[in-house]
């Protein structure tokens, strides 16, 4: 039976082949979007195809639905098979290497016959890549680095793909009448940016009945392993989910153990030993040798003489010492976030009107947004000229007259151009409420050039925030060469906020950089970078990243109310003394 994962993979492969073939950009993007929707869908694609309901999924039209149906019925897509005759499959691996697009892949393949990562790496080392027209030593060195990064990601899955699958599996388990506590554990509970698999801990009337049921839930495409208290399945999206059913009286011990991290657990165990205690997944033994089984994690930490440690902090990064001293931070929470200061509308590359984006934010409990469409140099994103921007301002003003209890701030995600200038004159930026400046080009520049650009942006009096400050895309693209210490310093003394971009590919600033920024007194802002109304929920990932970075509410600009923020924005930027 064809799984959603296989179908999505076939569509992705088809899109990759189309890229090699130089096909139309929108056609390729449509196939990729469809693949994502299939992975996200909780329903098996076989059922959707059999019932003729594929086009009910968002972003799936008749043409792509026909290809999916072909895949479901024949196990393959004819168009893809034809491509596979033309291009060796290894070319797709080359395309995944950062800095090598489809054009370069074809060039390298046609010139040197290279069609695998190993061959590519060798050719980058032995000078044959550097010898190709338009390439050089620098390209070859970049290729070696990029291949290394690609291999390091291995099979880890971005959090934003694993979490929906984990939530669906947990929800299905909770619907079983014999299930008591069902909790996601492991790296997902800690909200690590990538995860290997999903761990779920549960208690139940009859463990064997729950594990047996687990293998039959809609989310499960296949059973990987099963036993009386354990069961592992793979979802239609190809993600492994491990369920462990544990006794009620030790639920707290087991949840604590399987939440990890391994490093946190080891440090916890060592600290306990040094105080004459013991801690394991079975219980806590106190200094008098008495064994305690804990129903809750709170009891585990309490017995060890520690304040409760939120899962996002459990990385052995000082949290145990802080908990022992009663000095854990009060972390920012999703409900603290009052507004979203970076999202796009259909004025540039967004897929919702400003009104729709505002409504989606409002439905999520926010009280304001700032529209941050792209500036003109980003032509692929239909970036705004000053003239279009001024028409957008009229639309925003009209919308604000109409909205009650919600405010739309004007703004822009202005491009920091490769030469260091901003893509909009100061007299235009000055008219906007909230300007975010971001780098979208010149990623390969030397550190000095990158820093000069970021410095110019931070020192501009009208730039309130730096968007996705390192530009990394998890597993896909490395950061540009940012001196993080210097950027944080600049942010703090110019009063420019650093963004934690919530898109699960970005999570940029990442956790430890957010922590350093807070320590240096820089402001943070947690934004969705939403391109469609449905993306409003992504703030969850940004907040989790902030929490992993020990970030408190006071450090986050958009925890201010609309009125407080307006008051801040009515005055010039204010930094800390250098
Ligand atoms: P990952 O790689 O994203 O799946 O990360 P985790 O943290 O979910 O790791 P996983 O799934 O291998 O194990 C889940 C938790 O179980 C882990 O965070 C801590 C605990 N655990 C697993 N193996 C060990 C171990 O050998 N020693 C200790 N102390 N804890 C372990
Ligand atoms: Ca795990
Ligand atoms: Zn951007």
């Amino acid at each position: 039976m064809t799984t959603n994962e296989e179908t999505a993979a076939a569509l992705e492969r088809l899109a990759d082949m189309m890229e090699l073939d130089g096909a139309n950009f929108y056609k390729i993007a449509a196939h990729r979007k469809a693949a994502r929707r299939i992975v996200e869908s909780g329903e098996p694609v076989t059922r959707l195809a059999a019932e003729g309901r594929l086009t009910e999924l968002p972003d799936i039209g008749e043409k792509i639905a026909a290809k999916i149906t072909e895949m479901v019925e024949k196990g393959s897509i004819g168009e893809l098979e034809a491509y596979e005759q033309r291009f060796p499959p290894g070319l797709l691996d080359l395309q995944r290497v950062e800095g090598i697009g489809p054009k370069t892949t074809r060039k390298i393949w046609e010139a040197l016959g290279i069609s695998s990562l190993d061959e590519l790496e060798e050719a980058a080392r032995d000078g044959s890549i550097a010898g190709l027209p338009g390439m050089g030593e620098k390209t070859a060195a970049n290729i070696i680095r990029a291949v290394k990064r690609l291999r390091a990601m291995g099979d880890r899955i971005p959090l934003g793909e694993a979490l929906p699958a984990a939530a669906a599996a947990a929800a299905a388990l909770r619907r079983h009448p014999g299930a008591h506590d069902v909790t996601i554990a492991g790296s997902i509970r800690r909200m690590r940016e990538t995860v290997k698999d999903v761990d779920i801990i549960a208690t139940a009337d009859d463990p064997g009945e729950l594990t047996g049921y687990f293998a039959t839930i809609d989310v499960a495409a296949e059973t990987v392993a099963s036993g009386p208290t354990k069961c592992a399945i793979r979802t239609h999206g190809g993600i492994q989910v491990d369920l462990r059913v544990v006794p009620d009286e030790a639920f707290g011990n087991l949840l604590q153990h399987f939440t990890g991290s391994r490093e946190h657990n080891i440090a916890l165990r060592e600290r306990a030993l040094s105080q004459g205690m013991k801690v394991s997944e079975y219980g806590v033994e106190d200094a008098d040798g008495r064994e305690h089984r804990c129903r809750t994690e709170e009891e585990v930490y309490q017995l060890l003489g520690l304040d409760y440690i939120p899962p996002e902090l459990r990385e052995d990064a000082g949290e145990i010492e802080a908990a022992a001293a009663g000095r854990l931070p009060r972390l920012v929470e999703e409900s603290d976030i009052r507004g979203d200061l970076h999202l796009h509308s259909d004025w540039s590359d967004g897929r919702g009107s400003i009104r729709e984006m505002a409504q989606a934010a409002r439905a999520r409990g926010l009280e304001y947004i700032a529209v941050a469409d792209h500036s003109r140099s980003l032509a692929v994103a239909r970036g705004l000229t000053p003239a279009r921007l001024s028409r957008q301002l009229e639309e925003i003003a009209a919308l604000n007259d109409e909205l009650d209890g919600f405010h739309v701030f004007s703004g822009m995600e202005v491009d920091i151009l490769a030469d260091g200038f901003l893509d909009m004159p100061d007299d235009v930026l000055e008219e906007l409420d909230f300007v975010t400046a971001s780098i979208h080009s010149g990623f390969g520049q030397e550190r000095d050039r990158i820093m000069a650009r970021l410095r110019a942006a931070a020192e501009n009096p009208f730039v309130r925030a730096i968007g996705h400050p390192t530009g990394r895309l998890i597993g896909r693209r490395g950061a540009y060469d940012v001196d993080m210490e210097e950027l944080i310093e600049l942010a703090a003394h110019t009063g420019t906020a650093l963004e934690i971009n919530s898109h699960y590919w970005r999570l940029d600033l990442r956790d430890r950089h957010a922590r350093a920024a807070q320590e240096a007194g820089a402001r943070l802002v947690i934004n969705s970078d939403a391109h469609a109304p449905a993306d409003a929920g992504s703030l969850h990932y940004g907040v989790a990243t902030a929490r992993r970075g020990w970030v408190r509410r006071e450090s986050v600009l958009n925890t201010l109310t609309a009125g407080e923020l307006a008051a801040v924005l009515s005055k010039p930027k204010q930094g800390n003394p250098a």
Side-chain angles (χ1 to χ4, degrees):
M1 211 171 79
T2 311
T3 64
N4 289 32
E5 179 204 23
E6 287 160 353
T7 309
L11 288 176
E12 285 280 2
R13 206 153 53 235
L14 184 54
D16 289 342
M17 291 288 189
M18 288 172 167
E19 273 197 304
L20 274 179
D21 197 24
N24 173 293
F25 171 82
Y26 293 100
K27 187 173 156 189
I28 296 166
H31 284 75
R32 294 203 195 284
K33 216 178 288 168
R36 255 201 79 69
R37 294 307 185 186
I38 290 167
V39 172
E40 283 165 4
S41 164
E43 266 195 272
V45 73
T46 41
R47 190 196 302 162
L48 288 167
E51 295 174 4
R53 294 194 291 115
L54 284 165
T55 52
E56 285 175 13
L57 293 184
D59 297 314
I60 295 189
E62 295 292 344
K63 275 193 194 151
I64 293 183
K67 294 181 198 182
I68 297 171
T69 306
E70 196 187 340
M71 177 73 192
V72 168
E73 287 172 356
K74 299 192 199 135
S76 65
I77 302 173
E79 192 184 357
L80 176 60
E81 288 182 341
Y83 271 129
E84 281 168 345
Q85 296 294 317
R86 260 176 79 191
F87 301 124
L91 293 186
L92 302 188
D93 295 336
L94 301 197
Q95 279 198 89
R96 288 173 59 223
V97 177
E98 180 190 342
I100 299 200
K103 282 202 192 106
T104 311
T105 299
R106 268 192 87 156
K107 187 157 119 187
I108 293 175
W109 173 52
E110 280 164 5
L112 304 170
I114 283 171
S115 63
S116 75
L117 279 187
D118 289 341
E119 288 166 2
L120 178 71
E121 208 178 2
E122 200 189 318
R125 288 189 197 284
D126 72 15
S128 22
I129 296 272
L132 290 180
M135 306 192 132
E137 291 300 339
K138 202 174 160 199
T139 315
N142 285 341
I143 287 177
I144 292 168
R145 260 199 305 276
V147 169
K148 207 167 137 203
R149 186 160 45 238
L150 198 61
R151 290 199 168 122
M153 176 82 176
D155 294 330
R156 294 187 73 80
I157 307 155
L159 177 64
E161 282 169 29
L163 184 56
L173 283 169
R174 287 188 190 112
R175 283 195 293 271
H176 190 280
H180 309 165
D181 290 298
V182 176
T183 304
I184 297 169
S187 49
I188 299 201
R189 184 155 181 251
R190 306 195 312 277
M191 298 294 276
R192 263 194 75 172
E193 60 190 38
T194 64
V195 308
K196 179 193 70 195
D197 58 13
V198 178
D199 306 275
I200 297 181
I201 304 295
T203 55
D205 292 337
D206 178 347
E209 195 183 284
L210 194 65
T211 55
Y213 162 77
F214 186 56
T216 69
I217 62 178
D218 259 3
V219 175
E222 58 175 321
T223 307
V224 180
S226 98
T229 60
K230 279 200 232 175
C231 181
I233 58 146
R234 207 182 305 282
T235 67
H236 298 280
I239 299 170
Q240 180 163 329
V241 186
D242 292 352
L243 168 68
R244 285 183 192 81
V245 186
V246 306
D248 284 286
E249 63 274 16
F251 179 73
N253 301 107
L254 283 136
L255 178 60
Q256 194 287 319
H257 175 79
F258 286 111
T259 296
S261 65
R262 186 164 303 168
E263 293 72 19
H264 173 85
N265 287 353
I266 290 171
L268 206 61
R269 202 161 51 212
E270 282 171 358
R271 181 177 182 278
L273 284 174
S274 74
Q275 303 185 338
M277 297 189 282
K278 279 186 192 156
V279 56
S280 73
E281 62 263 53
Y282 308 109
V284 176
E285 191 187 303
D286 66 23
D288 302 326
R290 270 209 320 257
E291 181 74 38
H292 302 263
R293 311 250 273 165
C294 307
R295 284 178 182 271
T296 66
E297 282 190 321
E298 282 79 359
E299 291 170 61
V300 176
Y301 286 105
Q302 197 183 4
L303 282 165
L304 296 172
L306 298 172
D307 287 347
Y308 177 76
I309 302 176
E312 296 92 330
L313 297 186
R314 300 182 196 169
E315 300 290 353
D316 191 23
E319 73 279 9
I320 295 174
E321 296 78 352
R327 275 207 294 269
L328 281 172
R330 181 229 175 264
L331 299 177
V332 63
E333 287 170 26
E334 205 173 342
S335 59
D336 292 329
I337 303 293
R338 306 288 190 101
D340 184 353
L341 296 171
H342 177 179
L343 51 76
H344 298 265
S345 77
D346 56 10
W347 282 79
S348 68
D349 60 348
R351 275 171 286 134
S353 64
I354 297 175
R355 178 193 303 272
E356 287 163 341
M357 297 305 285
Q359 281 163 345
R362 188 172 205 169
R364 284 260 159 196
L366 300 185
E367 44 182 88
Y368 56 88
I369 57 171
V371 181
D373 278 313
H374 291 287
S375 57
R376 62 188 149 186
S377 75
L378 224 58
V380 286
R382 301 203 310 123
L384 301 187
T385 58
R388 284 184 67 221
L389 179 63
S390 84
R391 270 183 280 136
Q392 188 188 57
L393 295 187
E394 287 166 23
E395 184 177 313
I396 291 173
L399 191 56
N400 277 326
D401 283 342
E402 197 187 301
L403 291 172
D404 205 13
F406 189 91
H407 190 75
V408 180
F409 290 100
S410 64
M412 170 159 265
E413 184 184 14
V414 65
D415 223 41
I416 306 173
L417 300 172
D419 58 13
F421 287 97
L422 294 178
D423 189 24
M424 196 55 79
D426 276 3
D427 60 336
V428 176
L429 296 180
E430 187 174 8
E431 297 304 310
L432 301 174
D433 297 319
F434 195 88
V435 175
T436 294
S438 311
I439 287 183
H440 293 114
S441 62
F443 299 137
Q445 289 177 353
E446 314 266 316
R447 176 172 281 211
D448 287 353
R449 299 273 310 277
I450 295 282
M451 290 314 296
R453 292 165 75 186
L454 291 169
R455 188 176 316 111
E459 286 174 349
N460 182 297
F462 309 116
V463 169
R464 297 284 179 168
I466 303 291
H468 43 74
T470 77
R472 65 100 176 241
L473 297 178
I474 294 168
R476 291 161 201 255
R477 186 172 81 201
Y480 30 77
D481 199 355
V482 178
D483 180 336
M484 189 48 69
E485 213 175 311
E486 187 187 339
L487 178 62
I488 288 170
E489 178 65 24
L490 270 168
H493 90 246
T494 59
T496 311
L498 294 178
E499 177 178 77
I500 297 177
N501 188 295
S502 302
H503 194 290
Y504 70 84
W505 283 359
R506 292 192 181 276
L507 302 180
D508 178 15
L509 292 183
R510 59 174 308 170
D511 44 18
R512 61 169 180 266
H513 290 153
R515 186 171 176 181
Q518 173 177 262
E519 269 163 25
R523 273 295 191 133
L524 296 162
V525 56
I526 302 174
N527 291 324
S528 71
D529 197 359
H531 282 71
D535 300 340
S538 68
L539 282 174
H540 183 59
Y541 295 102
V543 170
T545 302
R547 290 171 63 85
R548 289 179 55 81
W550 295 54
V551 171
R552 298 180 301 270
R553 182 179 60 190
E554 307 77 67
S555 303
V556 181
L557 187 61
N558 49 332
T559 59
L560 296 179
T561 64
E564 289 165 346
L565 181 65
V568 168
L569 298 180
S570 71
K571 288 182 253 153
K573 290 205 287 191
Q574 214 171 4
N576 305 332

